[in-house]
Amino acid sequence: MPVEFLGIAATHDGSETTPRSGAAFDKDYTLRLARAHEEHGWDRVLFAYGSGSPDPAPAAAYIASRLDRLQILLAHRPNVSYPTFAAKTFATLDQISEGRLTVHFITGGSDHEQGREGDTLTKDERYARTREYIRVVKKIWTTHEPFDHEGEHYRFHDFVSDVFPVQQPRPNVSFGGSSPAAYAAGGAEADIYCLWGEPLAKTAEQIENVKAAAKAAGRTDVPRIQVAFRPIIAPTEELAWEKAHRTVGAIKARRERGEAVTRRHSGHDRPQNTGSQRLLAIAEAGERYDRALWTPTAAATGGAGNSNALVGTPETVARALLDYYDLGVDILSARGYDLLGDAIDFGRHVIPVVREEVAKRDAERAARGTADLAAVTA
């Protein structure tokens, strides 16, 4: 199966290790970073969502109108707009991008972060709302006659959109989470299921949970699996590990100065969401796993989001990513701490190695299939 690479479409140059140098929306930097991804072999970039951050939809439209190939993963929280409005926004963006849009629906794992924009539902209620929201959006994308909707969270009458996606029958839907409620919602509705980087054995368990949820929802297919990491690469193993320890040192120094290194926490509170709790538990159990997975970056940020690292030379990190590919992961998400420089380095030195090895695996698999068919029909 083909492999795809997802990067980050940040709107400024700040990261956990370095404060941003300018405004929250730096138009020139946003374009430079996206162009670096397009020019160095990446398939798509994520426009993330934060309660006080620049709106990702117009930022994505800005990039889509200036680049020709780079695909867009747009994060969206259902609490911020009605599904009729959102479906039109997504369809318009798919038109602007000429069919390069995927929408990532975020249920929200932190009551504090959700409350910043007036969302007072419980976590279970949020998951129920998200499932209803996705179903409504899908129907709006694919229905050309007016219809009514009477649901638990949304009610409207005689609605039909006048703008439809380029992609037929619709753009893909992306979803993530590590709780039973997340598996149930994403297993039922997602085309792509997103996980944060964990040890191989735990990732395999999560993939099986997603497959089981899809089957329980009556699906005959299963979502594609995406896994996210923070690669730290250098020409030698020694230099890579020196860089890794400098990275953690920089994160800790910022936190000790009282600087906000992530958007999720208001302070040093324990995270509510299962995914972050899992990352912290893994970090507490050990620093190094498998070929190159390293957990102190997750521990230093309090398990905030995609935060486990892969450390080593480009060849080591590429082999580590191939281990996940062999589990059934075909979308690999990566984001460094120097967003622009690391996107270029990863694109130059890691992506080609992974793609070459995946092509070899696919060719060998196809050859075995042909040989097996010939043996059966002989």
Side-chain angles (χ1 to χ4, degrees), residues 47-190:
F47 284 83
Y49 191 93
S51 59
S53 301
D55 188 346
Y62 168 67
I63 293 303
S65 67
R66 285 159 176 79
L67 300 180
D68 298 323
R69 301 184 306 278
L70 194 66
Q71 298 175 53
I72 292 163
L73 178 59
L74 178 70
H76 180 77
R77 287 183 184 165
N79 61 290
V80 300
S81 67
Y82 218 69
T84 50
F85 176 85
K88 294 185 298 179
T89 299
F90 304 147
T92 303
L93 183 52
D94 200 51
Q95 290 283 343
I96 292 170
S97 67
E98 299 180 326
R100 287 178 280 149
L101 176 69
T102 298
V103 182
H104 180 67
F105 290 92
I106 303 172
T107 298
S110 164
D111 291 344
H112 177 80
E113 170 67 6
Q114 295 299 122
R116 284 170 165 162
E117 293 187 286
D119 188 5
T120 59
L121 296 186
T122 66
K123 187 176 180 180
D124 286 345
E125 290 170 338
R126 292 199 296 267
Y127 274 111
R129 178 182 61 192
T130 299
R131 292 183 71 165
E132 182 180 345
Y133 196 98
I134 293 173
R135 289 169 181 162
V136 170
V137 168
K138 286 179 178 177
K139 188 169 183 179
I140 292 170
W141 280 341
T142 57
T143 302
H144 292 258
E145 298 296 331
F147 69 96
D148 300 340
H149 178 80
E150 292 282 344
E152 180 181 358
H153 297 279
Y154 303 104
R155 296 175 179 82
F156 55 84
H157 303 283
D158 198 38
F159 181 82
V160 63
S161 178
D162 195 32
V163 57
F164 291 90
V166 170
Q167 298 176 79
Q168 293 299 313
R170 57 172 177 78
N172 281 333
V173 165
S174 171
F175 190 89
S178 298
S179 67
Y183 298 140
E189 300 297 336

Side-chain angles (χ1 to χ4, degrees), residues 66-358:
R66 285 159 176 79
L67 300 180
D68 298 323
R69 301 184 306 278
L70 194 66
Q71 298 175 53
I72 292 163
L73 178 59
L74 178 70
H76 180 77
R77 287 183 184 165
N79 61 290
V80 300
S81 67
Y82 218 69
T84 50
F85 176 85
K88 294 185 298 179
T89 299
F90 304 147
T92 303
L93 183 52
D94 200 51
Q95 290 283 343
I96 292 170
S97 67
E98 299 180 326
R100 287 178 280 149
L101 176 69
T102 298
V103 182
H104 180 67
F105 290 92
I106 303 172
T107 298
S110 164
D111 291 344
H112 177 80
E113 170 67 6
Q114 295 299 122
R116 284 170 165 162
E117 293 187 286
D119 188 5
T120 59
L121 296 186
T122 66
K123 187 176 180 180
D124 286 345
E125 290 170 338
R126 292 199 296 267
Y127 274 111
R129 178 182 61 192
T130 299
R131 292 183 71 165
E132 182 180 345
Y133 196 98
I134 293 173
R135 289 169 181 162
V136 170
V137 168
K138 286 179 178 177
K139 188 169 183 179
I140 292 170
W141 280 341
T142 57
T143 302
H144 292 258
E145 298 296 331
F147 69 96
D148 300 340
H149 178 80
E150 292 282 344
E152 180 181 358
H153 297 279
Y154 303 104
R155 296 175 179 82
F156 55 84
H157 303 283
D158 198 38
F159 181 82
V160 63
S161 178
D162 195 32
V163 57
F164 291 90
V166 170
Q167 298 176 79
Q168 293 299 313
R170 57 172 177 78
N172 281 333
V173 165
S174 171
F175 190 89
S178 298
S179 67
Y183 298 140
E189 300 297 336
D191 303 295
I192 298 169
Y193 200 98
C194 307
L195 302 170
W196 290 331
E198 295 186 1
L200 289 164
K202 291 187 176 295
T203 300
E205 291 172 3
Q206 292 215 73
I207 292 173
E208 290 306 311
N209 287 334
V210 173
K211 290 179 178 179
K215 183 178 180 180
R219 292 176 62 168
T220 56
D221 64 336
V222 295
R224 298 173 66 194
I225 301 296
Q226 172 183 303
V227 177
F229 303 95
R230 306 299 295 272
I232 300 174
I233 62 173
T236 69
E237 295 292 330
E238 182 180 9
L239 290 174
W241 285 104
E242 289 176 1
K243 183 178 178 181
H245 288 289
R246 287 198 307 272
T247 297
V248 168
I251 296 170
K252 290 180 177 178
R254 290 197 66 199
R255 293 194 74 168
E256 288 169 1
R257 292 194 297 268
E259 299 177 21
V261 299
T262 68
R263 292 177 303 194
R264 195 201 64 213
H265 296 318
S266 58
H268 297 270
D269 52 312
R270 190 81 175 177
Q272 287 182 293
N273 61 307
T274 303
S276 292
Q277 292 171 6
R278 288 174 65 98
L279 294 187
L280 290 178
I282 291 166
E284 289 166 359
E287 289 193 357
R288 296 180 66 169
Y289 293 86
D290 304 320
R291 195 185 299 270
L293 191 73
W294 196 55
T295 65
T297 46
T301 61
N306 169 25
S307 50
N308 268 341
L310 293 176
V311 182
T313 64
E315 293 75 17
T316 295
V317 170
R319 288 196 298 270
L321 291 170
L322 288 162
D323 291 338
Y324 287 89
Y325 176 82
D326 290 339
L327 287 181
V329 177
D330 67 338
I331 303 176
L332 300 169
S333 175
R335 171 166 57 102
Y337 292 93
D338 170 9
L339 300 180
L340 181 60
D342 288 345
I344 293 170
D345 287 346
F346 189 89
R348 283 177 175 167
H349 303 299
V350 178
I351 289 178
V353 176
V354 176
R355 289 199 193 280
E356 181 179 355
E357 289 300 318
V358 165

Side-chain angles (χ1 to χ4, degrees), residues 368-378:
R368 286 196 300 270
T370 300
D372 291 344
L373 180 61
V376 170
T377 56

